[in-house]
Amino acid sequence: MRPEQPDRILRTAPYLQEKHPEWTWEKPVAASREMLLRAHDETLINRLPKPVDFDADTPWFEGIEAHAMLAAGAAVAAMRHALAGRAAFSLMRPPGHHATRGQAMGFCYVNNVAVAALEARASGVGKIAIWDFDGHHGNGTEDILQGREGFLYVSVHQYPGYPGTGTISVNGTRNYPVPPRVPRTELMDTMRRSWDGIVGFKPELVLVSAGFDAYVRDPL
């Protein structure tokens, strides 16, 4: 069975709804093609509906284009809530931070956080930071945003590990690779230093790629 599957949401959403009855839940509106094209090449967007797997981790299945556009739309909705001063968390699958400008990979078809960041820029936000604390480096987010004026991408991730990137910091990217099985105190110190870098950037908006695969019981 593939680790990327609908059960990751089908079980999580009811659990959170039971634990937090005070939360307001919204269904996302799909991101537009225009939004996607700010982050991705047209070739990738046109590839989504074609019934061929992207790689061993990133299969094609019926409706994946619609699911990917809804996930990106969920990120955009969370961004707009944040700009309005409202706390927001987007619980979406598929994820996004491995999707580069021209390639779907690592369970990721569309780079949700990059789509949201570039939509924020198009809406007039000047300085935008992305904090990524997934267990893996967000190579796709770095690929899309690196070198763009007014963006800071900060990633804390395990190295060595998939996808084998994220060892250097350059052109608006700050990477914090940590070795496998690092003590939690050391990991939290790295997290604090990475956050201090974001605060020092003085962004108008912070978007978070919240990956929970650093959890000790995560099977991968």
Side-chain angles (χ1 to χ4, degrees):
M1 182 178 291
R2 297 182 187 270
E4 176 57 30
Q5 54 184 288
D7 275 354
R8 296 183 73 154
I9 292 298
L10 295 178
R11 297 184 183 188
T12 305
Y15 176 83
L16 291 175
Q17 288 167 343
E18 179 183 353
K19 292 294 183 180
H20 297 279
E22 76 280 10
W23 287 1
T24 299
W25 289 76
E26 298 179 2
K27 291 185 177 181
V29 175
S32 68
R33 185 179 179 89
E34 178 185 7
M35 292 176 185
L36 300 186
L37 286 173
R38 293 195 186 102
H40 295 288
D41 293 337
E42 191 169 25
T43 302
L44 173 60
I45 306 306
N46 292 340
R47 166 73 174 80
L48 291 175
K50 295 181 180 179
V52 181
D53 287 353
F54 295 87
D55 63 26
D57 290 326
T58 317
W60 182 90
F61 57 86
E62 190 71 35
I64 186 56
E65 179 183 23
H67 286 297
M69 294 180 76
L70 282 169
V76 170
M79 174 272 291
R80 288 177 174 157
H81 278 297
L83 288 179
R86 297 185 291 266
F89 179 85
S90 176
L91 179 67
M92 95 280 274
R93 305 305 296 185
H97 76 158
H98 291 309
T100 68
R101 185 164 188 84
Q103 181 180 359
M105 59 183 290
F107 306 164
C108 302
Y109 302 85
V110 168
N111 198 302
N112 308 316
V113 76
V115 170
L118 292 168
E119 175 66 11
R121 169 56 55 80
S123 301
V125 182
K127 296 183 72 175
I128 302 165
I130 295 174
W131 194 32
D132 187 335
F133 52 70
D134 191 278
H136 306 92
H137 178 239
N139 60 302
T141 309
E142 179 176 306
D143 172 69
I144 293 168
L145 298 180
Q146 184 169 285
R148 293 184 187 239
E149 186 68 26
F151 287 95
L152 175 65
Y153 174 65
V154 176
S155 177
V156 180
H157 53 272
Q158 178 179 293
Y159 185 86
Y162 182 88
T165 54
T167 59
I168 61 173
S169 299
V170 63
N171 293 337
T173 296
R174 297 180 189 174
N175 284 311
Y176 293 82
V178 295
R181 302 187 184 282
V182 66
R184 64 179 299 170
T185 53
E186 186 176 329
L187 174 59
M188 291 307 298
D189 179 66
T190 302
M191 293 282 283
R192 290 186 186 95
R193 288 190 290 110
S194 72
W195 177 250
D196 288 344
I198 288 177
V199 173
F201 180 64
K202 297 181 179 179
E204 298 168 48
L205 173 70
V206 179
L207 299 173
V208 181
S209 283
F212 299 104
D213 47 6
Y215 176 52
V216 66
R217 294 182 184 177
D218 185 277
L220 294 182

